[in-house]
Amino acid sequence: GAGVSQSPSNKVTEKGKDVELRCDPISGHTALYWYRQSLGQGLEFLIYFQGNSAPDKSGLPSDRFSAERTGGSVSTLTIQRTQQEDSAVYLCASSIGTSSSYNEQFFGPGTRLTVL
Amino acid sequence: DAKTTQPNSMESNEEEPVHLPCNHSTISGTDYIHWYRQLPSQGPEYVIHGLTSNVNNRMASLAIAEDRKSSTLILHRATLRDAAVYYCILYDHFYNQGGKLIFGQGTELSVKP
């Protein structure tokens, strides 16, 4: 079956421009997560959605970062006025849902963002 | 969040067993031990998880110390495709209702033919 897909796979932008990164989770998965991976910081959590709500935005590094999810499916991560330190691989993951028991997270291939 | 400590890197020969250690001396009673791995140029993938008892699945085995302060991921016969960064993660099934994973630096496993 189809896994988590992300687009674009690569994005090069100029400092100060806005970018949108898209994530298509596995069909039926109600929980969706954004992480980013950079050389200096390793893999870090950004935000998670349960349905269309985002109960935990604690990992967003600044107010230039925002995310939304519509229809309980596709999510978009938007970075405004990009800076060079935003360069990283942005990873999306989804899982069946959150409950008191753990649900395995399935990761997409990521979007590599380069800010010149 | 409770922390884990792993060696930065390990080497193995193909078709030999690999034991990847993880220390988690501050583990709480509701923390499960999870392992993910990340193959080159891919997103992480789930490997295995456990609470107290040793666990086996088609990918690996997880051996958990009796005091739960350490654990070992065992790959029974390493293949070249097992070359990856392996992350040991503590996840609180009771208090962490969000599913957020906290990744450390992991162990980079290289496999020699």
Side-chain angles (χ1 to χ4, degrees), chain B residues 1-4 23-29 31 68-70 90:
Chain B
D1 297 306
K3 290 191 173 182
T4 62
N23 288 318
H24 29 78
S25 59
T26 58
I27 191 170
S28 75
D31 280 329
R68 301 207 326 123
K69 293 185 177 182
S70 65
L90 298 183

Side-chain angles (χ1 to χ4, degrees), chain A residues 33 35 37 43 45 48 56 58 91 98-102 104-105 107-109, chain B residues 34 36 38 41-44 46 49 87 91 93 97-101 103 105:
Chain A
Y33 308 82
Y35 297 84
Q37 188 166 31
L43 232 162
F45 166 83
Y48 108 87
D56 189 350
S58 62
L91 292 157
T98 57
S99 66
S100 60
S101 62
Y102 176 74
E104 173 186 348
Q105 291 185 25
F107 283 79
Chain B
H34 291 258
Y36 276 73
Q38 187 172 21
S41 302
Q42 295 187 28
Y46 168 81
H49 77 278
Y87 297 97
Y91 180 81
H93 283 219
Q97 295 296 309
K100 172 172 73 176
L101 297 176
F103 289 82
Q105 294 306 305

Side-chain angles (χ1 to χ4, degrees), chain A residues 6-40:
Chain A
Q6 293 185 246
S7 60
S9 54
N10 280 285
K11 177 71 176 179
V12 180
T13 190
E14 293 178 348
K15 178 181 172 181
K17 295 282 179 69
D18 297 351
V19 295
E20 282 191 354
L21 311 180
R22 177 187 168 107
C23 172
D24 280 273
I26 293 172
S27 177
H29 280 194
T30 61
L32 184 147
Y33 308 82
W34 284 99
Y35 297 84
R36 76 173 177 181
Q37 188 166 31
S38 54
L39 282 176

Side-chain angles (χ1 to χ4, degrees), chain A residues 57-93:
Chain A
K57 306 178 184 179
S58 62
L60 294 178
S62 75
D63 58 8
R64 295 187 295 104
F65 287 72
S66 63
E68 65 173 15
R69 189 179 185 195
T70 55
S73 180
V74 172
S75 176
T76 303
L77 177 69
T78 301
I79 309 173
Q80 294 179 311
R81 305 181 302 283
T82 52
Q83 303 294 312
Q84 288 181 331
E85 61 261 30
D86 298 335
S87 296
V89 176
Y90 289 80
L91 292 157
C92 176

Side-chain angles (χ1 to χ4, degrees), chain B residues 1-3 8 13 15 17 22-23 25 40 43 45 47 49 52 61-63 65 79-80 91-92 98 102 106 110 113:
Chain B
D1 297 306
K3 290 191 173 182
N8 288 333
N13 294 316
E15 299 190 3
C22 181
N23 288 318
S25 59
E45 63 176 350
V47 178
H49 77 278
T52 56
S61 296
L62 177 60
T79 69
L80 297 178
Y91 180 81
D92 190 324
I102 307 297
S110 57

